Amino acid sequence: MSFHSDNETGVAPEIFAALAAVNDGTVMPYGNDQLTASLNESLSRLFGTEVNAFLVVTGTASNVLALSTMTPPYGGIYCHEKAHILVDECGGPEFYTGGARLLPMTGADGKLHADDLAVVLREQRDDVHYIKPSALSLTQVTESGTVYTPEDVTDLCRLAKDKGMHVHMDGTRFANAVASLGCHPADITWKAGVDVLSFGATKNGAIAAEAVVFFNQTLAQDFSARRKRGGHLPSKMRFMAAQFNAYLENDRWLGYATHANRMAEKLAVELNEVPDVEFSYPVQANLIFADMPQAMLKAIQDTGYQPDYWLWENGRCEVRFVTAFNTREQDIEQLMKVIRSL
Amino acid sequence: MSFHSDNETGVAPEIFAALAAVNDGTVMPYGNDQLTASLNESLSRLFGTEVNAFLVVTGTASNVLALSTMTPPYGGIYCHEKAHILVDECGGPEFYTGGARLLPMTGADGKLHADDLAVVLREQRDDVHYIKPSALSLTQVTESGTVYTPEDVTDLCRLAKDKGMHVHMDGTRFANAVASLGCHPADITWKAGVDVLSFGATKNGAIAAEAVVFFNQTLAQDFSARRKRGGHLPSKMRFMAAQFNAYLENDRWLGYATHANRMAEKLAVELNEVPDVEFSYPVQANLIFADMPQAMLKAIQDTGYQPDYWLWENGRCEVRFVTAFNTREQDIEQLMKVIRSL
Amino acid sequence: MSFHSDNETGVAPEIFAALAAVNDGTVMPYGNDQLTASLNESLSRLFGTEVNAFLVVTGTASNVLALSTMTPPYGGIYCHEKAHILVDECGGPEFYTGGARLLPMTGADGKLHADDLAVVLREQRDDVHYIKPSALSLTQVTESGTVYTPEDVTDLCRLAKDKGMHVHMDGTRFANAVASLGCHPADITWKAGVDVLSFGATKNGAIAAEAVVFFNQTLAQDFSARRKRGGHLPSKMRFMAAQFNAYLENDRWLGYATHANRMAEKLAVELNEVPDVEFSYPVQANLIFADMPQAMLKAIQDTGYQPDYWLWENGRCEVRFVTAFNTREQDIEQLMKVIRSL
Amino acid sequence: MSFHSDNETGVAPEIFAALAAVNDGTVMPYGNDQLTASLNESLSRLFGTEVNAFLVVTGTASNVLALSTMTPPYGGIYCHEKAHILVDECGGPEFYTGGARLLPMTGADGKLHADDLAVVLREQRDDVHYIKPSALSLTQVTESGTVYTPEDVTDLCRLAKDKGMHVHMDGTRFANAVASLGCHPADITWKAGVDVLSFGATKNGAIAAEAVVFFNQTLAQDFSARRKRGGHLPSKMRFMAAQFNAYLENDRWLGYATHANRMAEKLAVELNEVPDVEFSYPVQANLIFADMPQAMLKAIQDTGYQPDYWLWENGRCEVRFVTAFNTREQDIEQLMKVIRSL
């Protein structure tokens, strides 16, 4: 374990096994196979409402294709200033929407807050010289490792809907959010007002499988064309479907995430007892941001761990630890041994 | 075997094994792993010149990203009227180039011919009201199952270069072309004037792995940004690299294709003896287009085979048979039994 | 007179006078002036139905902005292979639509024909790998100088509508078409099924004023944003409105065009008597395409005239003569004197 | 006079006269006329270096087309948070660049400051996940009515150039800046490091004429294609050229702006003596931002003036007064009479 990111892990054994299981024989390509077709049913059952879902192989593809169904080229998309779509997708949202603009907002704990959004929406210009805000994108789990409650999502969506805007949820770590909240997946999605969810599996045990889940059927209408045009329709789709199917079976998605969160919690509990370490944000899922002396970071790195970090000018730094479906208790203990030894 | 397409097959066992081999441990994401890094070297060795290569997971992504480095938004791309980029990528080339135009040409045997291109280029308008032709895209193996010889490619490239245009090769079945020609891969690429090759593995034994191979280093410069922005940079890249690496090792790419071609040749030889069957194009790789009575097609379909077909008004039809790396002699024999039984 | 094009003329005196008339005082910018506002009413009266109209300053802007409201980025637009949007707008349609594709069709006399369109639409693919044809664009007067009758337009629109497509009319010479047909402007637009008309004034007496006239109000909804975003909302809009207003007043648009057509007719009648001259197309408006010996063209050019021309290999050529609102009878006579002198 | 904006004025008489002067006869379209051709020479003389200039009819077109030559689709453009390209062009920069991102910065007095830019550039990410900042856009006169000195521009450009970025100047009120600084136009453009200037005439006496002036010839290479494709190549270009030519002749551009600035100065001097009025920014050109009681604004509006304004919660407001080439001393006096009467 490097604690760098949950996308550095391998594949969960149950998901790997599913690949082998679909390898035999000849199967219709481009998603015209039975396994892919069955995903709409599985996901509809999971969410307790009829959904229309589409697989892609990267989180960026999932996000930007979803956004492209929600906003015209002259539109705007509200998001947090730390949102992946803003800072880590190299302008993918602008590309796929035909030039819509991301409208970053600040917000404590890496979250957008309804009070702030209300002000922004009230002051939003409505004339032909300005772009037309058309969508809100929430990240669940946030980039700061925090989680929106069902009430949070509901309040934010209501504001967006009142302005005629659509809502996207970047759920690259959606499973970790559900595991954290102990809620039904519906409570933080369609019941709260989310139109489209980017439901990630890659960071949580798959090789490369992300589902774009449409609760709003109207928005789903041209997704197939946009996906194909974007080069995101793999011919041997059954191998992606096999991954996502195995991910859903037996609630593995939730099991993997519950484990990852528990490992983060364990690490947080132990870190909390270390003098000179403070948490930048509440630890609610599988990401920990710890404010610590730079000497401590150095010791961690010298041992071979590779967490992300940001150096401050006061001799301290912020260090991000990420746990995953396959993090072991002993991985935590070994890391803590290094930290405690200082 | 359905004989429908080489993208309906599963994964070659050696390639599948390579997936398992990279599953353990923690590896840097987004292509910052050693296996991905080694591909430039492997491909440089294969082609006998220094190349810069990038992996993506679909042939469409490979083609459209390659084209986006070659033409400005106000550009044009010459291609055959049957080219995949024109008829099967849902406008992906237009999307990725920012609106460049495909300029279809006819050509016997599914190939572009230098004589025709010379005429088109001579008559090409050069004023501000018309788009600016900027690239030529050749498909190797063509959509008609024919193959460009090194001389063909050289002649076409020379014309393009004289006009200041770049050349792309859609090599979704590049291996089958090399196997058919018995030439060095360099002979139909950089030595002949090709700037960028979309080198496919998916149809020839991989799950989803395509390499965009730049012989022209200048064009490669902004590929990384364009790939990321298009959502085509998988985080767990090592699994794609593992596929392509296994594909190159021990010349498996060529071995698989040689086998597929041989199966097509066997089928062609036998079909050739069937009265009432004629070939639409020379059989040069792993695609056969057979002109036959509709009754024969019906018998084939009734047995469970699913070849592509086009019905004519005269009671006849064109049927496409595709062989693959895993087609067996007995698959051919069973198919022929059905055909001969009529 | 050079007979080169109707866009080489100056401004009609009545339209020039209208510029001076709006020059005084301070007027709200960006079309928020009374004159611009009044155009919707004037045009609604002219067409006998409620329209929503927007001014721009070039024909290309008018066409491409209109098309951008009709087709998604993954769409296609049927047009004649000689259409201005295809061959003379440098990819503007692709740019403004976000990458939709123009689908050229042949057709005698520079016109699309319902029989041909019916075949094309019947054979049109409908799968995710191909673009989705979404619009039909007709040019009235065509680039060959011919005119669609109300029946022609009605038949073509019906086919398009049955396929769920929208219809655009490039009416850069719309006035000349109405003058030629002697019909009501409604007969070849909304009554026949046209959704949006690009109604030109520039070639017919204005400096730079084109109205995009929406009969389909739904399509008009986002035009303002698209126009502004394209840089096509002049601040001092009153000067464009003044031109178009003067153009409509006293049916000047029709008067100018009637005169231009009459001059073309006069020229055609006289040319018709010249041995060795043949018309490539029926002369129906203000464009004449004459097939003549190259020696005749040379004499014409040597006298200073600058008609467009295309040289053939048989010693003959096609020469385009264009008349305009300000062509005088003596201009025709002088030209004919040169031609007859051979 | 409404004091609302300098784009509400009519046309300066000398410029209007120039329109009439080019109306006669037949002239080659699309800028192939002698007057348009002569502009490169006139502007080269004016700037004291060889330039390549292109006319368009709106400031937005001028800005966004200029930017499209400077940044790839995956690029970024630094600008002030009040920049017209950011807040008043409806996403035109995103559209024309193919999706590049505007990167807003704060800065006192409506200006970007070299110290701030240095910090931003030092902290700029340089990895494939983030967009690639490629250009800097300065507005001269700024939207706050302030002016960059030659030293300001030089310092900012040097920072940009050190990062390999290009520099654009939005000079919709460029003449007012030169008049304010009393410098040579070269001092705040190419000598200071500006690559492309959007040189406005519309707000300073023309109907609709803006020149995109390239000091960097490499960037100019594909401007013609981009302009045509954007629908910004008017056929009767001579009428735009006539405006810009008359604007340059006899240094009218500078004379008009000098007058407008003087009127603003007069107004500022008198406002300065009014108790309860404060200037939000230094008055350096033809824009005044005055902080005043809302009651004062109301009296101004009741008299028929229409300045832009922003209401504060403390009973005060900010009011923008704009003077123009044709503002008269008595217009100022009448306005002041209203203000003083309170």
Side-chain angles (χ1 to χ4, degrees):
Chain A
M1 278 301 294
S2 73
F3 295 99
H4 180 74
S5 177
D6 34 5
N7 62 23
E8 296 189 357
T9 61
V11 183
E14 300 87 350
I15 294 181
F16 200 95
L19 288 178
V22 296
N23 194 23
D24 286 339
T26 297
V27 175
M28 287 294 279
Y30 299 117
N32 295 317
D33 60 283
Q34 289 187 355
L35 199 57
T36 303
S38 75
L39 277 174
N40 273 349
E41 208 180 321
S42 307
L43 284 162
S44 296
R45 210 161 39 233
L46 177 63
F47 283 99
T49 189
E50 188 165 339
V51 307
N52 219 327
F54 304 85
L55 291 180
V56 294
V57 299
T58 71
T60 293
S62 175
N63 285 334
V64 299
L65 280 165
L67 291 172
S68 76
T69 69
M70 294 191 167
T71 172
Y74 49 84
I77 302 160
Y78 290 110
C79 64
H80 194 277
E81 62 183 350
K82 295 196 170 178
H84 199 268
I85 58 171
L86 181 70
V87 300
D88 279 315
E89 302 189 350
C90 196
E94 287 91 338
F95 177 37
Y96 276 80
T97 60
R101 185 180 298 169
L102 297 172
L103 301 166
M105 292 178 57
T106 56
D109 291 344
K111 294 164 68 174
L112 294 178
H113 296 274
D115 286 354
D116 299 335
L117 183 61
V119 172
V120 164
L121 294 179
R122 196 163 54 234
E123 294 178 353
Q124 185 183 292
R125 280 172 58 188
D126 181 23
D127 61 71
V128 78
H129 304 280
Y130 193 62
I131 56 157
K132 182 176 167 49
S134 306
L136 170 68
S137 181
L138 304 174
T139 309
Q140 176 78 310
V141 176
T142 73
E143 298 295 332
S144 300
T146 52
V147 173
Y148 289 100
T149 66
E151 195 179 14
D152 289 340
V153 181
T154 304
D155 290 349
L156 287 161
C157 289
R158 189 180 305 123
L159 288 167
K161 295 300 169 82
D162 285 351
K163 274 286 193 176
M165 303 187 340
H166 296 297
V167 182
H168 166 250
M169 179 168 279
D170 174 354
T172 187
R173 295 188 180 92
F174 182 73
N176 302 84
V178 175
S180 170
L181 293 163
C183 68
H184 191 280
D187 295 339
I188 51 171
T189 54
W190 66 275
K191 283 190 178 169
V194 171
D195 293 291
V196 187
L197 168 69
S198 293
F199 187 176
T202 307
K203 288 194 170 84
N204 194 26
I207 291 182
E210 308 276 314
V212 187
V213 182
F214 284 84
F215 306 108
N216 180 328
Q217 303 305 315
T218 307
L219 294 179
Q221 281 173 358
D222 66 357
F223 190 87
S224 291
R226 291 183 181 275
R227 178 175 57 171
K228 172 67 195 175
R229 173 179 181 73
H232 289 292
L233 182 65
S235 54
K236 297 183 178 175
M237 182 68 97
R238 78 216 216 212
F239 290 97
M240 288 74 200
Q243 293 175 60
F244 215 89
N245 195 53
Y247 186 58
L248 295 180
E249 264 184 357
N250 301 325
D251 280 341
R252 285 187 195 108
W253 65 283
L254 193 56
Y256 296 155
T258 301
H259 174 79
N261 287 5
R262 199 178 305 133
M263 289 302 99
E265 192 187 358
K266 176 179 168 64
L267 178 53
V269 166
E270 306 208 14
L271 271 178
N272 199 30
E273 293 171 11
V274 179
D276 243 9
V277 171
E278 285 174 26
F279 297 121
S280 306
Y281 310 105
V283 177
Q284 298 177 340
N286 66 323
L287 305 176
I288 295 177
F289 290 81
D291 187 317
M292 59 173 59
Q294 292 183 16
M296 195 178 286
L297 169 62
K298 183 155 190 321
I300 291 168
Q301 291 173 323
D302 288 348
T303 319
Y305 297 108
Q306 302 180 301
D308 260 354
Y309 60 91
W310 297 263
L311 301 182
W312 309 139
E313 302 201 342
N314 58 359
R316 295 185 63 85
C317 57
E318 187 171 82
V319 182
R320 188 184 78 158
F321 299 98
V322 188
T323 58
F325 74 96
N326 62 351
T327 305
R328 297 164 304 172
E329 300 224 351
Q330 67 213 68
D331 296 326
I332 306 292
E333 283 153 17
Q334 281 170 15
L335 171 64
M336 284 308 304
K337 208 152 78 182
V338 176
I339 293 175
R340 284 206 197 90
S341 69
L342 294 173
Chain B
M1 281 300 297
S2 73
F3 294 99
H4 180 74
S5 177
D6 34 7
N7 62 23
E8 296 190 358
T9 60
V11 183
E14 300 86 352
I15 294 181
F16 199 95
L19 288 178
V22 295
N23 194 22
D24 285 340
T26 297
V27 175
M28 286 295 280
Y30 299 117
N32 296 317
D33 60 284
Q34 291 187 353
L35 199 56
T36 303
S38 75
L39 277 174
N40 274 349
E41 206 180 325
S42 308
L43 284 162
S44 296
R45 208 159 40 231
L46 177 63
F47 282 99
T49 189
E50 188 165 338
V51 306
N52 218 328
F54 303 85
L55 292 179
V56 295
V57 299
T58 71
T60 292
S62 176
N63 286 333
V64 299
L65 280 166
L67 292 172
S68 75
T69 69
M70 297 193 166
T71 172
Y74 49 86
I77 301 160
Y78 290 109
C79 64
H80 194 275
E81 63 183 350
K82 293 195 171 180
H84 199 267
I85 58 171
L86 180 72
V87 301
D88 276 315
E89 301 189 352
C90 197
E94 287 92 336
F95 178 37
Y96 275 81
T97 59
R101 185 181 296 170
L102 297 171
L103 301 166
M105 294 178 57
T106 56
D109 292 343
K111 294 163 68 174
L112 295 178
H113 297 273
D115 287 354
D116 298 337
L117 184 62
V119 172
V120 163
L121 293 178
R122 197 163 53 235
E123 295 178 351
Q124 186 182 291
R125 280 172 58 188
D126 180 24
D127 61 69
V128 76
H129 304 282
Y130 192 61
I131 56 156
K132 180 173 168 52
S134 306
L136 169 69
S137 182
L138 305 174
T139 309
Q140 175 78 307
V141 175
T142 73
E143 299 294 332
S144 299
T146 53
V147 173
Y148 288 100
T149 66
E151 195 180 14
D152 289 342
V153 180
T154 303
D155 290 349
L156 287 162
C157 289
R158 189 178 307 123
L159 289 167
K161 294 300 168 84
D162 285 351
K163 274 286 194 176
M165 303 188 337
H166 295 297
V167 181
H168 166 249
M169 179 169 280
D170 174 355
T172 186
R173 294 186 181 94
F174 181 74
N176 303 85
V178 174
S180 170
L181 294 164
C183 66
H184 191 279
D187 296 339
I188 51 171
T189 55
W190 65 274
K191 285 192 178 169
V194 171
D195 292 291
V196 187
L197 167 69
S198 293
F199 187 177
T202 307
K203 288 194 169 86
N204 194 27
I207 290 182
E210 308 275 314
V212 186
V213 182
F214 285 84
F215 306 108
N216 180 327
Q217 303 306 316
T218 307
L219 294 179
Q221 281 172 359
D222 66 356
F223 191 86
S224 290
R226 290 183 180 276
R227 176 174 61 171
K228 173 65 195 176
R229 174 179 180 72
H232 288 292
L233 181 65
S235 54
K236 297 184 179 176
M237 182 69 97
R238 78 214 216 211
F239 289 98
M240 287 74 201
Q243 293 175 62
F244 215 90
N245 195 53
Y247 186 59
L248 296 180
E249 265 184 355
N250 299 326
D251 279 343
R252 286 189 194 106
W253 65 282
L254 193 56
Y256 295 155
T258 301
H259 174 80
N261 288 6
R262 199 178 305 133
M263 289 302 100
E265 192 186 359
K266 177 179 167 65
L267 178 54
V269 166
E270 307 208 13
L271 270 179
N272 199 31
E273 294 170 11
V274 179
D276 243 10
V277 171
E278 287 174 22
F279 296 121
S280 306
Y281 310 105
V283 177
Q284 299 176 338
N286 67 322
L287 305 177
I288 296 176
F289 290 81
D291 187 316
M292 59 174 58
Q294 292 183 16
M296 193 178 286
L297 168 63
K298 186 159 188 319
I300 291 168
Q301 291 172 323
D302 287 350
T303 320
Y305 297 108
Q306 301 179 303
D308 258 355
Y309 61 91
W310 298 263
L311 301 182
W312 310 138
E313 301 201 344
N314 59 359
R316 295 185 63 86
C317 57
E318 187 171 81
V319 182
R320 187 184 80 160
F321 299 98
V322 188
T323 58
F325 73 98
N326 63 351
T327 305
R328 297 165 304 172
E329 300 224 350
Q330 69 213 65
D331 295 327
I332 306 293
E333 284 152 17
Q334 282 171 16
L335 171 63
M336 284 310 303
K337 206 152 80 181
V338 175
I339 292 175
R340 285 205 197 90
S341 70
L342 294 174
Chain C
M1 279 301 294
S2 73
F3 294 100
H4 179 74
S5 177
D6 35 5
N7 62 22
E8 296 190 356
T9 61
V11 184
E14 300 87 350
I15 294 181
F16 200 95
L19 289 178
V22 294
N23 194 23
D24 287 338
T26 298
V27 174
M28 287 294 279
Y30 298 116
N32 296 317
D33 61 283
Q34 291 189 354
L35 199 56
T36 304
S38 75
L39 277 174
N40 273 349
E41 206 180 324
S42 307
L43 284 162
S44 295
R45 210 160 40 232
L46 176 63
F47 283 98
T49 189
E50 188 166 338
V51 306
N52 218 328
F54 303 85
L55 291 181
V56 293
V57 299
T58 71
T60 293
S62 176
N63 285 334
V64 298
L65 281 165
L67 291 172
S68 76
T69 69
M70 295 192 166
T71 171
Y74 49 85
I77 302 161
Y78 290 110
C79 64
H80 195 276
E81 62 183 350
K82 295 196 172 181
H84 198 269
I85 60 170
L86 180 71
V87 299
D88 278 315
E89 302 189 351
C90 196
E94 287 92 337
F95 178 37
Y96 274 81
T97 60
R101 186 180 296 168
L102 297 172
L103 301 166
M105 294 177 58
T106 56
D109 292 344
K111 294 163 69 172
L112 295 177
H113 296 273
D115 286 354
D116 298 336
L117 183 62
V119 172
V120 163
L121 294 179
R122 195 162 56 235
E123 295 179 351
Q124 186 183 293
R125 281 172 59 189
D126 180 25
D127 61 69
V128 77
H129 304 281
Y130 192 61
I131 56 156
K132 184 175 166 49
S134 306
L136 170 68
S137 181
L138 304 174
T139 308
Q140 177 77 309
V141 174
T142 73
E143 299 294 331
S144 299
T146 53
V147 173
Y148 288 100
T149 66
E151 195 180 15
D152 289 340
V153 180
T154 303
D155 290 350
L156 287 161
C157 289
R158 190 181 304 121
L159 288 166
K161 295 301 168 83
D162 284 352
K163 274 285 193 177
M165 302 186 339
H166 296 297
V167 182
H168 166 248
M169 179 169 278
D170 174 355
T172 187
R173 295 188 181 93
F174 181 74
N176 303 85
V178 175
S180 170
L181 294 163
C183 68
H184 190 279
D187 295 339
I188 51 172
T189 55
W190 66 274
K191 284 191 178 169
V194 171
D195 292 291
V196 186
L197 168 69
S198 292
F199 187 176
T202 307
K203 287 194 170 86
N204 193 26
I207 290 182
E210 307 276 313
V212 187
V213 182
F214 284 85
F215 306 109
N216 180 329
Q217 302 305 315
T218 306
L219 294 179
Q221 280 171 0
D222 66 358
F223 190 87
S224 291
R226 290 183 181 274
R227 177 174 59 172
K228 173 65 196 178
R229 174 178 181 73
H232 288 292
L233 182 64
S235 55
K236 297 184 179 174
M237 183 67 98
R238 78 214 216 213
F239 289 97
M240 287 75 201
Q243 293 175 61
F244 215 90
N245 194 54
Y247 186 58
L248 296 180
E249 265 183 357
N250 300 326
D251 279 341
R252 285 187 195 108
W253 64 284
L254 194 55
Y256 296 154
T258 302
H259 174 79
N261 288 5
R262 199 178 304 133
M263 289 302 100
E265 192 186 359
K266 175 180 168 66
L267 177 54
V269 165
E270 306 207 14
L271 271 178
N272 199 30
E273 293 171 11
V274 179
D276 242 9
V277 171
E278 285 175 27
F279 296 121
S280 306
Y281 309 105
V283 177
Q284 297 176 338
N286 65 323
L287 305 176
I288 295 176
F289 290 81
D291 186 317
M292 59 174 59
Q294 291 183 16
M296 194 179 284
L297 169 62
K298 184 157 191 320
I300 291 168
Q301 291 172 323
D302 288 349
T303 320
Y305 296 108
Q306 302 180 301
D308 259 354
Y309 62 90
W310 297 264
L311 301 182
W312 309 137
E313 302 200 343
N314 58 0
R316 295 185 61 86
C317 57
E318 187 172 82
V319 183
R320 187 185 80 159
F321 299 98
V322 188
T323 58
F325 74 96
N326 62 352
T327 305
R328 297 165 305 172
E329 300 224 352
Q330 68 213 66
D331 296 326
I332 306 292
E333 284 153 15
Q334 282 171 16
L335 170 64
M336 285 308 303
K337 207 151 79 182
V338 175
I339 293 175
R340 285 205 197 90
S341 69
L342 295 174
Chain D
M1 279 300 294
S2 74
F3 294 99
H4 180 73
S5 177
D6 35 6
N7 62 22
E8 296 190 358
T9 59
V11 183
E14 299 86 351
I15 295 181
F16 200 95
L19 289 178
V22 295
N23 194 23
D24 285 339
T26 298
V27 174
M28 287 294 278
Y30 299 116
N32 296 317
D33 60 283
Q34 290 187 353
L35 199 55
T36 303
S38 74
L39 277 174
N40 273 350
E41 207 180 325
S42 307
L43 283 162
S44 295
R45 209 160 40 230
L46 177 63
F47 282 99
T49 190
E50 187 165 340
V51 305
N52 218 329
F54 303 85
L55 292 179
V56 294
V57 299
T58 72
T60 293
S62 174
N63 286 333
V64 299
L65 280 166
L67 291 172
S68 76
T69 68
M70 296 194 167
T71 173
Y74 50 84
I77 301 161
Y78 290 109
C79 64
H80 194 275
E81 63 183 351
K82 294 197 170 178
H84 199 267
I85 59 171
L86 181 71
V87 300
D88 278 316
E89 301 189 352
C90 198
E94 287 92 337
F95 178 37
Y96 275 80
T97 59
R101 186 181 295 168
L102 297 172
L103 301 166
M105 294 177 57
T106 56
D109 292 344
K111 294 164 69 172
L112 294 177
H113 296 273
D115 286 353
D116 299 336
L117 184 62
V119 172
V120 164
L121 294 178
R122 197 163 52 234
E123 295 178 352
Q124 186 182 291
R125 280 171 59 189
D126 181 24
D127 62 69
V128 77
H129 304 280
Y130 192 60
I131 56 157
K132 183 174 167 50
S134 307
L136 169 69
S137 182
L138 304 174
T139 309
Q140 176 78 308
V141 176
T142 73
E143 299 294 332
S144 300
T146 52
V147 173
Y148 289 100
T149 65
E151 195 180 15
D152 289 341
V153 180
T154 304
D155 290 349
L156 288 161
C157 289
R158 189 179 306 125
L159 289 167
K161 294 300 168 84
D162 284 351
K163 274 285 194 177
M165 304 187 338
H166 295 297
V167 182
H168 166 248
M169 179 169 278
D170 174 354
T172 186
R173 294 187 181 96
F174 181 73
N176 302 85
V178 174
S180 170
L181 293 164
C183 67
H184 190 280
D187 296 339
I188 51 172
T189 55
W190 66 275
K191 285 191 178 170
V194 170
D195 292 292
V196 187
L197 168 69
S198 292
F199 187 176
T202 307
K203 287 194 169 87
N204 194 26
I207 290 182
E210 309 275 313
V212 187
V213 182
F214 284 83
F215 305 109
N216 180 329
Q217 302 305 316
T218 307
L219 294 179
Q221 280 171 359
D222 67 355
F223 191 87
S224 290
R226 291 183 180 274
R227 177 175 60 171
K228 173 65 195 178
R229 175 178 180 74
H232 287 292
L233 182 65
S235 54
K236 297 184 178 175
M237 183 67 98
R238 78 214 217 211
F239 289 98
M240 287 73 200
Q243 293 176 61
F244 215 89
N245 194 54
Y247 186 58
L248 296 180
E249 266 184 355
N250 301 326
D251 279 341
R252 283 186 196 110
W253 64 283
L254 194 56
Y256 297 155
T258 301
H259 175 80
N261 287 6
R262 199 178 304 135
M263 290 300 100
E265 191 186 359
K266 176 180 168 64
L267 178 54
V269 166
E270 306 209 14
L271 270 178
N272 198 29
E273 293 170 11
V274 179
D276 244 9
V277 171
E278 285 173 24
F279 296 121
S280 306
Y281 310 105
V283 177
Q284 298 176 340
N286 65 323
L287 304 177
I288 296 177
F289 290 81
D291 187 316
M292 58 172 60
Q294 292 183 16
M296 194 179 285
L297 169 62
K298 184 156 191 318
I300 290 168
Q301 292 173 321
D302 288 350
T303 321
Y305 297 108
Q306 301 180 302
D308 258 353
Y309 60 90
W310 296 264
L311 300 182
W312 310 138
E313 300 201 345
N314 59 359
R316 296 184 63 86
C317 56
E318 186 171 82
V319 182
R320 187 184 81 159
F321 298 98
V322 188
T323 58
F325 74 96
N326 63 351
T327 304
R328 298 165 304 172
E329 299 224 352
Q330 68 213 66
D331 295 327
I332 306 291
E333 284 153 15
Q334 280 171 18
L335 171 64
M336 284 309 303
K337 206 151 82 181
V338 175
I339 292 175
R340 284 205 197 90
S341 70
L342 294 173

